[in-house]
Amino acid sequence: MLIRFVKANFLKTFSKPSTRIFLLAFGILFFLPMGFFYLLKRRGNAYKSQMQGIRRRLEENGEKASLEAEIRGHVEKKLAFFGKGGRRNAESEIAKILEVRLDEHVKQLLAEEAPEQKDVSYRGVVAESLENPAILLLFIISGFPALLFLLLMSNPYVKYIYERLIMMVFVVFGVTFLVFTILYISPMDASYNMLGENATQERRDQFNATYGLDKPYIQQLVNTFKGIVTLNPGISYQGGEKVIAKLMNKFPITLQLAFSCLLVSVLIAVPSGVLSALKPNSILDYAVMLIALIGLSIPVFWFGLILILNLSIHHHILRATFEPGSWKAYIMPAIVLGTSLAASVARTTRSSMLEVINQDYIVTAKAKGLSRTRVILRHALGNALIPIVTLVGMQFGIMLGGTAVTEMVFNIPGIGSWLVEKQFIPDAPVVVSGVVYIAIVISLMNLFVDILYAFLDPRIKARIKGY
Amino acid sequence: MNGKNQFLKKAQARKLQRFPELNALNISWAASFSLALLLLFNSFDWELKGFIVDSPAFYVAALYLIPAGLSLSLSICSARGIARSGAIPVFVRRISLLLAPFALAGNIFAAIAGFTTVKKSKSLEYQLLTCAFLNNLMVIMTASLNFFKDSLPDYFAPAISALAFTLAFYLAAMAALHRAQKTGGYKRLYPIAFASILTAATGNIFALILGLAIISKIRSSDSNRTIEWIETLRRIFRNYMAVLGMLVIIFLVTLSVCSIFTFDYAIATTNDYSNMLKPPSLAFPFGTDDVGRCVFTRIVFGARISLFIGIIATAIPLIAGGFLGSVAGNYGSKLDNGIMRILDIFHAVPSTLLTIAIVAAFGASTFNLIIALSLSNIPVYARTMRAQVMVVSNNEFVEAARACGRRKYEILFKHIIPNSLAPMIVRASVSIGIAVLSTSSLSYLGLGVEPKIPEWGNILKVGSKYLETNPYLAVYPGIFIIILVLAFNFLGDGLRDALDPKMK
């Protein structure tokens, strides 16, 4: 039981390069001796030499030549049919086909002549030896971390998340590299913008030395990577604040804003989308869809200004400036930012509901005598939710990045407005870390949405399990 | 009994839906009525508790109530006629021509309803001609607002007379088309097609399409064979909202082209301290800003920038992303993996942030803005194209081409790419609107177009400083942004329906 489990998982984990590296690293105490064992076994194995022998025999008795002639005939006929010349092309094609066919033939002959001979691979050797209880015990003792790793990877969800996280690490490094390089090759000079045009060269050099700007490109890039990973991306040029502390201050505000607008938009959009799908082509449907389309077309900042004009300046219902800690301050920004999201969610809800509502299983549910609300809410909406969840997840990322405009209109001290203020310098540590950390949050969010999927859609659950 | 009634009601509704005239009339009265209400609301003085009777808004509102009532009664009459005899009564069609002149009051809905209802069998050419006519008429009317200004631009008179000449030409072409369809001499329309392409120099894309459609119809040997792009166009013209969207877009294109001669760029850019912060009047329809520039003229010239950036910032990622996506979808897993992983990096950064980073590095300018917008859009296009190429390359006609010995790149460019373009076109039409939105919001942040250029976001930025005292400075440019983006969204929806294989 244990043997079979460990062996199967070993084979699966070993076959993928992304998991293989970690498996080998965790179980180095076990896999290194197994390597020597494998080398020993390979030396004693005659498979390769026998294959060579058969090949030589085929060449000598003219079978290779006859095979080549046969292939040449086929290829030349084909070329003549399509009316294309090209001697060199033909030769390389013949050689390629010949190699494949010869290899197949040799393997077949070998299997007939000496069926007990098998090719050895490291993977095969280890898997075979794990069947021996003594070696298995050795593996459990010496390669304990690797065993734990195998156990984790045996859960399809964990494995899926693990692979996504590995991908994410690459993307994060890519983003850091991209943003840093863009700022590095920029013609703007931070020291010039910070110290003013009258500053002496000496002071400028001093500034550059303080922030490590005099170092070569590679070293600066490595330092940036280090700063991102150790959560210490340095000090901002302007004001000399610690970037991470400031970021931690501002991030909750942006996140709160994004979540409140998510809430507003979903609460408005899903019911109206469902209603307009239940009565397609009615006046209600047209009205909802027209409003949704207008919502998609309104510039965020303009809508914000109009709300300020009407609610704050003319009627004094809400304050135009942001006060931290009061929920009222989030009302206008949430409406403004949530409008375009609500519009696209309503459109998606309508189209996916329309698709679902005509399916056979809805007719079945109705025929069973279920109440109308139950059919709509449980059977139809439950299945129509899948594209909505995708959309909301994706839009959430866009929103986190797009809060900049709203934050500027309402004077909210969030990340977006901070980045906009700092970009004129350009304040490299702030811009790089702001962009990279938001990208990380968005990637985590996307991962979360993809996992949420598996719970909503049995088809995707099946796919992850089989993976 | 109840079920039967419901069924009859549904059948009746389906019958009515078959008449586009009814739809146009209904939209005409609803839109005219709401516009009239809006104008009345504007001319209402809250302090005096009464209407300002001698304001232009009040007159126009009264003028809009006439087509509203007319369309409503025509709509009721034709609905009754359809119920009784299955057709719209002849007198309704005749009277409906009265709606067309309201185009002169700027009521485009009534004009469309009039032109739609007056003719029973509407060919595509007729619809294109009416759109071309209405389009140039609106351009002339917009330009003639300059009569209220102190001075006219240098080439104003020749430009306006050229535009008026195109109007006369479109009317003549309509008559010729009517005769050709009656007598069957379609081949004689050749000169009209060429002349119509010539009038497209004003920026009137309807005229261009009309000319090309007539020429390709005459050229095609078999008159029964349908030409695919003309069929698609016909399906688009069945969608009222898509036509309206096209009309708005092409109107702005024509306006931008003609504004070289019909508007004075100096009014939009030079400071005039004698006319600072004037409220809307006939000379300055949208008022003047803090240095006395005419906001209306600035908006007219801003249309050019917005359309230009929107189109270029969509064309670049469309081509680049389409190319990368089709290569990734067609050639091997290694190239696919490489391209898609690099694009994943661009995809992970929200477009606003990527733009901020690029602008931070290279400064705010139109060129940098276009590059930034394009870069952040490439992954989306590449993904769409890749998915589509993968679906299409599993089709049997691709296999047939391969069996015939076509090379891989030949199959890709001749068979796969043309058949996977539909979702790309739909996405592009919507994303021009999104690009216009992003351009204006980035300009508002000071990250977009240079502040001296009259771009809609820049105009709005100036206006937002005077929100308390002169709110109209910020309101009008915003409305124009909404209208343009809305038009592209309508067109995108129409294109999606027209290109959907299920609709064919």
Side-chain angles (χ1 to χ4, degrees):
Chain A
M1 185 60 199
L2 182 71
I3 291 175
R4 208 181 305 149
F5 175 79
V6 170
K7 190 183 161 189
N9 275 309
F10 166 76
L11 287 177
K12 225 160 113 188
T13 316
F14 197 80
S15 57
K16 278 204 177 164
S18 61
T19 44
R20 190 193 300 154
I21 298 172
F22 282 90
L23 184 66
L24 291 181
F26 285 137
I28 191 139
L29 286 178
F30 174 72
F31 288 114
L32 210 61
M34 282 315 277
F36 290 120
F37 182 55
Y38 158 70
L39 286 178
L40 218 71
K41 231 180 170 179
R42 200 177 68 171
R43 193 167 295 164
N45 192 295
Y47 186 80
K48 284 260 156 65
S49 64
Q50 273 189 1
M51 237 168 106
Q52 289 285 332
I54 290 175
R55 216 184 155 114
R56 215 169 299 129
R57 199 177 72 209
L58 286 181
E59 269 170 36
E60 276 160 13
N61 67 11
E63 259 183 76
K64 186 187 172 188
S66 70
L67 195 65
E68 194 182 342
E70 189 194 328
I71 294 168
R72 185 178 296 276
H74 284 309
V75 170
E76 270 170 5
K77 254 186 203 159
K78 182 179 134 196
L79 287 181
F81 178 77
F82 289 125
K84 281 182 205 152
R87 207 65 241 160
R88 209 183 305 145
N89 251 348
E91 284 305 326
S92 72
E93 201 178 338
I94 290 169
K96 223 193 285 169
I97 297 175
L98 181 67
E99 191 52 43
V100 174
R101 290 277 294 273
L102 208 58
D103 207 44
E104 257 171 39
H105 195 54
V106 168
K107 270 189 188 154
Q108 204 186 340
L109 280 179
L110 190 64
E112 279 169 19
E113 284 169 18
E116 75 287 347
Q117 282 291 359
K118 277 207 184 95
D119 197 7
V120 285
S121 66
Y122 181 72
R123 183 166 165 256
V125 168
V126 176
E128 213 171 284
S129 354
L130 279 177
E131 278 175 19
N132 185 340
I135 294 185
L136 184 68
L137 197 68
L138 191 70
F139 174 59
I140 292 173
I141 295 166
S142 66
F144 191 67
L147 183 72
L148 275 184
F149 185 67
L150 276 189
L151 273 176
L152 274 177
M153 287 301 118
S154 68
N155 182 330
Y157 291 105
V158 177
K159 193 174 164 208
Y160 179 73
I161 294 171
Y162 162 82
E163 287 189 353
R164 288 286 303 263
L165 286 176
I166 293 277
M167 279 296 306
M168 224 182 86
V169 170
F170 279 110
V171 168
V172 166
F173 276 112
V175 170
T176 316
F177 167 76
L178 177 78
V179 179
F180 177 78
T181 309
I182 288 176
L183 286 171
Y184 183 82
I185 57 176
S186 102
M188 307 268 213
D189 189 353
S191 67
Y192 184 86
N193 288 337
M194 276 305 299
L195 304 173
E197 47 191 301
N198 297 328
T200 56
Q201 189 59 40
E202 223 169 288
R203 281 203 57 197
R204 238 170 250 172
D205 289 341
Q206 199 190 340
F207 176 87
N208 284 345
T210 319
Y211 293 100
L213 295 177
D214 50 349
K215 295 194 180 108
Y217 170 73
I218 296 290
Q219 202 175 346
Q220 283 190 46
L221 182 64
V222 170
N223 282 347
T224 311
F225 278 144
K226 233 188 260 167
I228 294 289
V229 172
T230 57
L231 295 180
N232 183 19
I235 298 166
S236 68
Y237 299 160
Q238 194 183 36
E241 307 136 327
K242 268 197 138 183
V243 172
I244 194 73
K246 206 80 175 154
L247 211 61
M248 290 315 248
N249 251 338
K250 290 178 180 287
F251 204 72
I253 298 177
T254 299
L255 214 59
Q256 252 169 356
L257 179 60
F259 267 116
S260 54
C261 100
L262 202 69
L263 197 73
V264 168
S265 58
V266 169
L267 282 184
I268 297 171
V270 173
S272 51
V274 170
L275 277 182
S276 70
L278 290 182
K279 288 190 184 298
N281 298 329
S282 64
I283 290 185
L284 176 83
D285 179 27
Y286 285 135
V288 168
M289 285 305 114
L290 185 69
I291 292 171
L293 214 50
I294 292 176
L296 271 183
S297 316
I298 290 187
V300 167
F301 57 106
W302 184 79
F303 193 36
L305 290 176
I306 294 290
L307 279 190
I308 291 179
L309 179 65
N310 282 318
L311 297 185
S312 309
I313 297 177
H314 283 174
H315 299 288
H316 307 287
I317 298 170
L318 294 165
R319 296 281 283 282
T321 48
F322 181 81
E323 318 150 62
S326 125
W327 61 271
K328 270 187 178 174
Y330 286 106
I331 295 179
M332 279 201 288
I335 293 174
V336 166
L337 203 55
T339 311
S340 68
L341 178 65
S344 42
V345 171
R347 279 160 67 91
T348 314
T349 310
R350 177 179 181 268
S351 61
S352 89
M353 266 306 264
L354 275 181
E355 213 161 89
V356 167
I357 221 159
N358 291 324
Q359 302 263 335
D360 288 343
Y361 66 84
I362 297 293
V363 179
T364 313
K366 275 185 196 160
K368 270 200 311 194
L370 293 182
S371 74
R372 195 173 150 77
T373 37
R374 196 176 156 82
V375 171
I376 289 162
L377 287 184
R378 256 196 77 82
H379 294 251
L381 188 61
N383 287 301
L385 267 181
I386 297 160
I388 302 172
V389 169
T390 327
L391 182 85
V392 170
M394 265 171 49
Q395 293 281 332
F396 185 76
I398 297 172
M399 228 159 45
L400 264 188
T403 49
V405 186
T406 318
E407 286 174 8
M408 290 299 275
V409 172
F410 291 101
N411 272 326
I412 301 171
I415 286 192
S417 54
W418 192 44
L419 286 182
V420 172
E421 281 161 21
K422 296 284 185 183
Q423 62 83 27
F424 291 103
I425 299 176
D427 208 331
V430 175
V431 176
V432 172
S433 55
V435 172
V436 172
Y437 285 127
I438 286 186
I440 292 175
V441 173
I442 292 173
S443 303
L444 284 176
M445 194 67 200
N446 285 342
L447 178 62
F448 175 70
V449 168
D450 283 351
I451 295 165
L452 203 62
Y453 252 8
F455 289 101
L456 285 175
D457 192 345
R459 284 168 297 186
I460 293 170
K461 201 189 275 178
R463 202 158 65 200
I464 288 184
K465 276 203 174 144
Y467 158 100
Chain B
M1 201 59 213
N2 189 23
K4 192 185 170 191
N5 268 343
Q6 215 170 12
F7 176 78
L8 284 177
K9 228 168 131 187
K10 269 192 184 167
Q12 180 70 15
R14 228 174 290 139
K15 210 164 154 191
L16 293 180
Q17 260 177 17
R18 246 179 286 149
F19 288 89
E21 292 89 346
L22 207 58
N23 189 17
L25 283 171
N26 282 336
I27 291 176
S28 163
W29 75 257
S32 310
F33 191 65
S34 12
L35 282 174
L37 276 187
L38 197 70
L39 287 168
L40 275 181
F41 183 76
N42 265 347
S43 65
F44 190 80
D45 195 321
W46 293 99
E47 277 155 30
L48 297 172
K49 301 243 180 281
F51 291 105
I52 312 165
V53 179
D54 55 348
S55 69
F58 189 78
Y59 288 125
V60 177
L63 204 58
Y64 272 38
L65 283 176
I66 304 170
L70 190 58
S71 323
L72 179 60
S73 43
L74 284 180
S75 157
I76 293 170
C77 283
S78 41
R80 274 201 196 140
I82 291 166
R84 204 176 302 137
S85 58
I88 294 175
V90 182
F91 78 91
V92 171
R93 291 200 186 276
R94 295 232 171 104
I95 294 174
S96 69
L97 196 57
L98 287 177
L99 285 173
F102 284 98
L104 292 171
N107 193 338
I108 195 76
F109 301 99
I112 292 178
F115 279 117
T116 317
T117 317
V118 77
K119 208 158 180 321
K120 194 177 175 191
S121 60
K122 288 170 284 292
S123 62
L124 179 68
E125 292 89 335
Y126 173 75
Q127 283 170 316
L128 279 169
L129 266 176
T130 48
C131 286
F133 177 81
L134 283 175
N135 181 36
N136 279 15
L137 184 68
M138 286 194 296
V139 171
I140 292 179
M141 276 162 32
T142 318
S144 54
L145 280 172
N146 271 342
F147 280 123
F148 298 106
K149 285 211 166 40
D150 298 336
S151 65
L152 288 174
D154 295 342
Y155 298 103
F156 187 76
I160 286 289
S161 22
L163 279 171
F165 176 74
T166 61
L167 283 189
F169 166 73
Y170 292 141
L171 284 180
M174 243 182 256
L177 186 74
H178 185 69
R179 229 188 28 230
Q181 273 164 346
K182 255 190 181 161
T183 56
Y186 197 80
K187 291 212 165 153
R188 263 176 279 152
L189 291 177
Y190 239 127
I192 286 186
F194 281 114
S196 157
I197 290 178
L198 278 184
T199 63
T202 56
N204 194 333
I205 301 170
F206 286 119
L208 182 69
I209 299 173
L210 173 73
L212 293 178
I214 292 179
I215 290 175
S216 57
K217 258 189 175 177
I218 294 174
R219 284 249 176 108
S220 83
S221 47
D222 187 358
S223 61
N224 289 326
R225 225 184 84 207
T226 55
I227 303 164
E228 182 141 359
W229 70 270
I230 294 183
E231 280 310 301
T232 311
L233 209 61
R234 210 189 292 278
R235 280 196 295 273
I236 295 175
F237 267 87
R238 251 183 248 154
N239 186 336
Y240 185 92
M241 286 308 187
V243 175
L244 203 63
M246 261 199 297
L247 208 54
V248 170
I249 295 164
I250 295 178
F251 165 69
L252 286 174
V253 172
T254 317
L255 190 66
S256 324
V257 172
C258 294
S259 64
I260 304 170
F261 302 112
T262 55
F263 281 89
D264 198 349
Y265 196 65
I267 298 178
T269 48
T270 43
N271 304 350
D272 176 6
Y273 294 106
S274 58
N275 283 321
M276 269 165 28
L277 294 172
K278 284 263 175 79
S281 63
L282 279 175
F284 303 108
F286 295 159
T288 57
D289 65 5
D290 54 343
V291 287
R293 297 172 293 196
C294 171
V295 175
F296 177 70
T297 317
R298 280 173 75 74
I299 289 178
V300 167
F301 282 106
R304 195 188 292 174
I305 313 283
S306 291
L307 279 172
F308 174 76
I309 294 179
I311 290 170
I312 299 289
T314 303
I316 294 175
L318 180 72
I319 294 167
F323 176 75
L324 287 176
S326 47
V327 167
N330 199 48
Y331 294 102
S333 61
K334 258 189 195 155
L335 195 59
D336 181 18
N337 241 327
I339 292 176
M340 293 325 278
R341 290 298 84 77
I342 291 173
L343 290 180
D344 273 350
I345 293 172
F346 281 90
H347 196 72
V349 189
S351 59
T352 323
L353 293 186
L354 189 62
T355 316
I356 288 178
I358 290 177
V359 170
F362 302 106
S365 75
T366 313
F367 179 75
N368 291 343
L369 180 70
I370 290 177
I371 296 294
L373 288 177
S374 308
L375 269 184
S376 55
N377 266 330
I378 287 177
V380 187
Y381 283 99
R383 282 177 178 205
T384 314
M385 193 66 184
R386 175 170 169 269
Q388 194 64 17
V389 162
M390 281 174 154
V391 169
V392 171
S393 55
N394 281 333
N395 277 345
E396 272 158 13
F397 65 86
V398 174
E399 208 168 309
R402 203 174 296 138
C404 285
R406 294 267 148 245
R407 303 222 167 126
K408 217 166 179 190
Y409 68 89
E410 277 178 339
I411 296 177
L412 180 63
F413 283 102
K414 279 197 182 145
H415 299 283
I416 297 180
I417 289 183
N419 282 298
S420 24
L421 279 182
M424 297 288 278
I425 294 172
V426 174
R427 186 172 278 282
S429 70
V430 175
S431 82
I432 295 178
I434 296 175
V436 170
L437 270 186
S438 333
T439 308
S440 59
S441 34
L442 289 167
S443 298
Y444 177 78
L445 292 182
L447 305 176
V449 182
E450 297 90 332
K452 62 176 195 295
I453 297 178
E455 194 267 345
W456 289 349
N458 283 337
I459 305 172
L460 231 165
K461 187 179 186 182
V462 173
S464 70
K465 284 188 239 158
Y466 300 92
L467 203 57
E468 272 178 72
T469 49
N470 307 56
Y472 50 85
L473 285 182
V475 170
Y476 289 119
I479 290 177
F480 272 82
I481 297 173
I482 295 181
I483 289 177
L484 180 58
V485 180
L486 201 57
F488 276 111
N489 279 334
F490 279 142
L491 180 63
D493 276 8
L495 271 174
R496 193 191 53 211
D497 290 347
L499 290 170
D500 190 354
K502 274 180 251 161
M503 300 286 286
K504 281 184 186 170

